Amino acid sequence: MTRISWDSRLATVANRSASKIEKAFGFRTVGDLLQHYPRRYEEKGRLSSLDAVQIGDHVTVIGRVVSSVQREFPDRRRGGIAYRLEAVVATEKDQLGLTFFDKRKSIAQWRARSVAEGATGLFSGKVGEFRGERQLTNPQTRMFVDTEALAGEDQATIAWQKVPELIPIYPATASISSWQIADTIGVALDLLDRVPDVLPERVRREQRLLDVATALELIHRPETWPDKTRAEQRLRFDEAFVTQTVLAQRRATLAQMPAQPRTGRPGGLLDQFDGRLPFTLTRGQQRVGADILADLALPHPMHRLLEGEVGSGKTVVALRAMLRVIDSGGQAALLAPTEVLAAQHRRSLSTLLGDLAAGGMLGGAVEGTRIALLTGSLGAAERRKVIEDIESGDAGIVIGTHALLEEGVQFADLGLVVVDEQHRFGVEQRAALSDKSLTPPHVLVMTATPIPRTMAMTVFGDLDASTLTELPAGRASIQTTVVPLAEQPAWWQRIWDRVGEEVEQGHQVYVVCPRIGSMGRGVEADETETDDTGRPADAAEDSTAGAGMAVEELAPVLRDGVLSDVRLDVMHGRLPADRKDAVMTAFAAGQIDVLVSTTVIEVGVDVANATTMVVVDADRFGVSQLHQMRGRVGRGSKPGLCLLVTRAKADTPARSRLDAVASTSDGVQLSRLDLAQRREGDVLGASQSGHRSGLRLLSVLRDEEVILAAREAATRTVEADPELADVPDLSAAVRRLDESDQATFLERA
Ligand code: ADP
Ligand code: MG
């Protein structure tokens, strides 16, 4: 028989299912097919459990036919007689109804013989509901028959002796069943000449892993559960190893790139700033600050991720790094995700620096620097002036949105780039910035979205990570309460009474809504607002009724009603930039009591006098997003209150998510919950089949140890053999991953 290779076209597997599989899953090669691993395995002789099965799922189950009745009925459309077989199959502890419609008498007769009482087989189809019972209509079947003689040519039957002890159940579709996939994979495995091997033999032995050919065989055709476990261990390690090799290579490349060391100078801006700080740095700020200063002094670019809860004081850490660079004759750029935040950063950095930021101006410190804000909404004249300041080097700190990268702005000497909130900053942007200076700048990425360690390692594996774990002392706590309007409609009024009381005490209040306006969809998507997946926050399946309350609906109601006595204003991404800035400035100055807003206030906004946040239709937001939003209150010494208002009913998943947010202030725990609730593939930007992410068996949440071991092994492998010349299959896999759009999952969360 002719052998086939891993890269052969799928069609070379002489099997009639090959083209259907190609259509259903987009697999092109034999390798693609063989990496379509079973979703689970069923034991021969046992019936499937329906516990996790829901209406609408495509399922493949083993069941035993407990009743089967065929009826004839007049076929109105075609005339003549048609046949309906109604069967019930028993599963582990439930029953599943089956209905088959047949037109030809011969097929109907065959059907009645094969799906007969007492018969066992595999049934596959989309789960529907009929009279409150789960059922399959016209499922695909493969019946297990007693003797080989009865087994047909047609794939619809298989002799009992030939049913494997562990039956692999593959992700399947209506056009191609799990067992057709299994058969095709079986043919391919029998003909395959060689399986690419990405692991150096040394690593394989150290990790006590199966050889790859055996692992591939046993993931598809295990005889025992331990077979399957061993196979998974090997293939899972491979996935982690390829990913970590890409990252190890990137780290190695970075370590060789030249950068200007920035060692600062005694008595410079940094020293002056430290000398007049109105508070002491937390231990974390000191430790991370020292790490960063050490990085900046190296002749290679720093690439550091700074994680820390909202309010943990990341901005001060970043500012100190910027001052060190300015003290060394360089400039620093600070990139913010939105114009609002860019403007807010300008305000808070100006406040922190005082006259140190008034360099060259009357009354400024002699050696001070200057802050420039460059956004898309500047007038032409002002813009020209700002660009001049940047090009001349007069502006030591340049704040802007990502527009800063696209503009033809040249820096005199860009030494450091600080990115606030990583989630929309990828490698291309880093590259764009590096082009703006002679040597690649140092990069510091700040994020308030805590990422589990292994996630960070996979997604940001080429960055060194630092974490601020403690909040500055004297920070009051935030109390979070769920307001369940479904059971307590009267509490709606009490919310606004409470808001009124806060305002009377001189405090300020945020009211956050999931949408901007009541107009049709599309208009709603606001490019400045994304939740932590990068989706527009208020594009959340906007079917209007379910989409939650809008700023433009709620604000007038409050203004004309319960809150007519307070100074109330609105804020959302569709306001003109100067308006947004004016509103934020007024709110920061205490000239607005209640701000009704979308999530544009989500990240980084810092108004110490704001004590209360009301999130309307809170169930429309993600867990991590809610956690970040509530960090806007309780930033001063006054305790914060966050009300999560929902119309969701008790005991729904929406309510339990809100209860979770209310019950803990541990951002890492909430972020885990958030990730667990989304499919991991979504987080990594994988397609549904998991086929394109490169991660089929590996879970960045569960498989921490595997990732750590793979990272270690990958780092050593790259050190010993930077070009991977000794492991050509690894080199090819790495190149494929690095070049494909799959690599984006290594850059963006
Ligand atoms: P983050 O950016 O991490 O959310 P910020 O840097 O904005 O936090 O800090 C939040 C607030 O805490 C700011 O008003 C800041 O001036 C203040 N702050 C920062 N570090 C300290 C500290 N060590 N002690 C007291 N207050 C601090
Ligand atoms: Mg901040």
Side-chain angles (χ1 to χ4, degrees):
M1 225 186 270
T2 48
R3 310 294 287 173
I4 55 173
S5 72
W6 188 259
D7 294 319
S8 300
R9 288 293 306 269
L10 201 50
T12 56
V13 182
N15 181 295
R16 57 197 135 160
S17 301
S19 70
K20 279 194 202 161
I21 292 175
E22 200 165 332
K23 270 206 203 90
F25 299 104
F27 302 161
R28 298 179 48 81
T29 64
V30 170
D32 290 342
L33 172 69
L34 292 177
Q35 288 180 285
H36 188 60
Y37 302 136
R39 170 175 289 154
R40 60 175 214 281
Y41 304 79
E42 296 279 7
E43 285 176 37
K44 181 180 187 175
R46 290 184 59 168
L47 302 178
S48 300
S49 157
L50 293 187
D51 283 353
V53 169
Q54 298 192 351
I55 309 291
D57 290 351
H58 185 95
V59 296
T60 302
V61 297
I62 303 183
R64 194 180 61 252
V65 181
V66 292
S67 77
S68 171
V69 182
Q70 194 164 51
R71 294 203 169 78
E72 297 181 2
F73 63 97
D75 184 336
R76 288 206 194 84
R77 207 143 33 94
R78 288 184 334 138
I81 303 270
Y83 304 85
R84 182 175 69 237
L85 182 94
E86 285 175 8
V88 174
V89 300
T91 52
E92 191 186 38
K93 25 185 213 288
D94 304 272
Q95 295 199 328
L96 185 65
L98 307 179
T99 308
F100 299 88
F101 294 94
D102 291 305
K103 292 179 186 122
R104 297 237 311 273
K105 183 165 189 179
S106 56
I107 294 183
Q109 285 173 337
W110 162 83
R111 175 92 57 206
R113 272 200 314 278
S114 71
V115 186
E117 198 177 312
T120 300
L122 285 160
F123 304 92
S124 178
K126 190 166 151 190
V127 182
E129 197 171 11
F130 186 66
R131 296 194 181 129
E133 300 285 337
R134 287 177 284 192
Q135 76 140 12
L136 305 177
T137 303
N138 290 328
Q140 303 168 78
T141 60
R142 170 172 273 189
M143 304 307 296
F144 303 159
V145 295
D146 285 340
T147 60
E148 199 137 351
L150 283 177
E153 287 287 285
D154 55 358
Q155 300 195 358
T157 48
I158 180 171
W160 178 253
Q161 312 93 283
K162 291 204 167 166
V163 177
E165 289 302 318
L166 287 180
I167 305 164
I169 307 292
Y170 290 91
T173 71
S175 61
I176 179 97
S177 64
S178 171
W179 53 88
Q180 288 170 316
I181 294 169
D183 290 352
T184 312
I185 285 176
V187 172
L189 282 173
D190 291 341
L191 296 178
L192 188 66
D193 57 358
R194 194 186 78 87
V195 184
D197 190 352
V198 297
L199 275 199
E201 181 58 17
R202 183 181 48 77
V203 175
R204 185 184 78 76
R205 262 186 279 117
E206 276 168 12
Q207 300 292 331
R208 296 162 207 270
L209 295 168
L210 290 179
D211 71 88
V212 70
T214 306
L216 193 68
E217 170 68 27
L218 292 183
I219 195 97
H220 292 295
R221 299 193 283 207
E223 285 173 14
T224 65
W225 288 110
D227 282 353
K228 170 244 174 201
T229 305
R230 302 264 289 139
E232 273 180 358
Q233 280 167 348
R234 161 70 207 240
L235 298 170
R236 187 180 288 139
F237 190 89
D238 282 6
E239 291 175 9
F241 187 71
V242 172
T243 313
Q244 293 301 328
T245 303
V246 171
L247 297 171
Q249 280 192 326
R250 288 196 194 155
R251 282 196 303 273
T253 310
L254 273 179
Q256 274 160 20
M257 273 205 257
Q260 187 74 37
R262 308 285 180 175
T263 49
R265 66 193 160 82
L269 287 174
L270 179 56
D271 287 351
Q272 293 180 47
F273 176 75
D274 283 349
R276 57 164 89 171
L277 256 185
F279 44 73
T280 28
L281 297 173
T282 64
R283 274 203 311 273
Q285 285 172 320
Q286 288 173 22
R287 181 174 37 79
V288 174
D291 286 348
I292 292 174
L293 296 191
D295 282 357
L296 291 175
L298 295 176
H300 305 294
M302 167 176 82
H303 269 212
R304 192 171 278 279
L305 178 70
L306 174 55
E307 286 185 79
E309 291 267 344
V310 158
S312 58
K314 297 181 294 294
T315 311
V316 176
V317 172
L319 177 57
R320 294 183 67 243
M322 295 190 233
L323 294 176
R324 164 55 55 94
V325 168
I326 296 167
D327 281 340
S328 316
Q331 291 165 292
L334 170 57
L335 297 186
T338 65
E339 293 207 356
V340 171
L341 286 169
Q344 145 111 21
H345 273 307
R346 202 255 288 265
R347 278 192 302 275
S348 57
L349 293 193
S350 302
T351 311
L352 281 166
L353 285 172
D355 69 352
L356 294 178
M361 285 177 223
L362 216 56
V366 187
E367 291 184 289
T369 186
R370 225 145 72 196
I371 302 178
L373 177 66
L374 189 69
T375 60
S377 53
L378 288 186
E382 208 182 336
R383 190 186 154 70
R384 214 171 311 114
K385 183 161 175 325
V386 170
I387 288 181
E388 264 172 37
D389 272 1
I390 299 173
E391 292 185 344
S392 68
D394 285 350
I397 297 177
V398 182
I399 303 176
T401 59
H402 291 161
L404 189 56
L405 305 180
E406 281 112 49
E407 320 257 348
V409 185
Q410 280 304 323
F411 287 77
D413 179 9
L414 180 60
L416 171 67
V417 177
V418 179
V419 183
D420 186 18
E421 285 308 311
Q422 89 294 350
H423 44 258
R424 279 186 288 164
F425 192 74
V427 154
E428 312 97 71
Q429 275 102 345
R430 283 191 225 162
L433 260 178
S434 299
D435 291 348
K436 297 193 176 298
S437 57
L438 293 173
T439 55
H442 300 281
V443 176
L444 179 66
V445 179
M446 303 194 285
T447 178
T449 313
I451 320 165
R453 197 158 77 106
T454 42
M455 177 67 104
M457 208 171 275
T458 305
V459 180
F460 299 108
D462 57 339
L463 302 180
D464 298 309
S466 307
T467 310
L468 295 177
T469 46
E470 62 203 309
L471 294 183
R475 203 54 68 69
S477 62
I478 304 169
Q479 190 206 326
T480 304
T481 305
V482 178
V483 181
L485 294 180
E487 292 99 63
Q488 305 287 354
W491 288 7
W492 179 249
Q493 178 61 39
R494 286 172 54 186
I495 296 167
W496 309 114
D497 292 345
R498 176 68 197 258
V499 167
E501 287 161 22
E502 287 292 326
V503 172
E504 249 166 53
Q505 290 171 34
H507 302 158
Q508 287 163 281
V509 178
Y510 296 105
V511 178
V512 182
C513 298
R515 290 188 307 132
I516 301 173
S518 49
M519 291 170 243
R521 41 193 316 178
V523 194
E524 293 301 308
D526 174 344
E527 97 289 349
T528 62
E529 292 170 63
T530 55
D531 66 14
D532 33 31
T533 58
R535 271 180 282 130
D538 45 12
E541 296 108 49
D542 188 349
S543 59
T544 312
M549 199 167 282
V551 171
E552 290 177 349
E553 291 164 354
L554 181 59
V557 172
L558 296 178
R559 198 183 269 136
D560 299 341
V562 279
L563 295 180
S564 55
D565 293 341
V566 312
R567 294 168 299 174
L568 182 146
D569 215 327
V570 301
M571 174 73 170
H572 55 72
R574 249 193 281 143
L575 295 177
D578 53 351
R579 174 80 192 138
K580 283 189 238 173
D581 201 23
V583 171
M584 278 325 291
T585 308
F587 190 72
Q591 293 153 0
I592 295 172
D593 301 312
V594 174
L595 188 61
V596 184
S597 164
T598 57
T599 52
V600 279
I601 53 116
E602 180 184 341
V603 194
V605 171
D606 188 13
V607 177
N609 190 45
T611 53
T612 303
M613 171 173 286
V614 180
V615 186
V616 180
D617 289 321
D619 47 285
R620 307 301 305 177
F621 299 97
V623 166
S624 290
Q625 201 184 11
L626 289 169
H627 177 61
Q628 286 202 33
M629 287 198 295
R630 72 177 158 184
R632 307 292 115 232
V633 294
R635 288 178 73 91
S637 54
K638 302 170 199 99
L641 174 67
C642 177
L643 300 178
L644 303 178
V645 184
T646 178
R647 292 178 274 189
K649 296 200 178 66
D651 297 322
T652 56
R655 276 284 286 280
S656 60
R657 284 191 302 130
L658 296 181
D659 289 340
V661 175
S663 69
T664 179
S665 58
D666 180 344
V668 174
Q669 194 183 326
L670 289 173
S671 142
R672 273 186 180 272
L673 181 74
D674 211 14
L675 293 171
Q677 284 187 342
R678 290 192 230 139
R679 285 197 325 277
E680 199 165 295
D682 291 347
V683 180
L684 294 178
S687 74
Q688 281 203 331
S689 67
H691 164 58
R692 295 177 62 213
S693 71
L695 302 188
R696 295 166 182 85
L697 295 168
L698 186 75
S699 158
V700 293
L701 295 179
R702 282 193 315 268
D703 298 323
E704 184 156 337
E705 279 174 24
V706 178
I707 293 174
L708 287 171
R711 177 181 164 102
E712 215 263 310
T715 306
R716 274 188 292 128
T717 303
V718 169
E719 266 166 21
D721 177 12
E723 301 301 319
L724 305 176
D726 295 342
V727 213
D729 287 335
L730 175 61
S731 167
V734 160
R735 207 172 331 113
R736 260 198 314 275
L737 179 59
D738 212 9
E739 281 167 8
S740 71
D741 56 340
Q742 302 164 22
T744 53
F745 84 86
L746 296 174
E747 281 137 29
R748 289 181 209 101

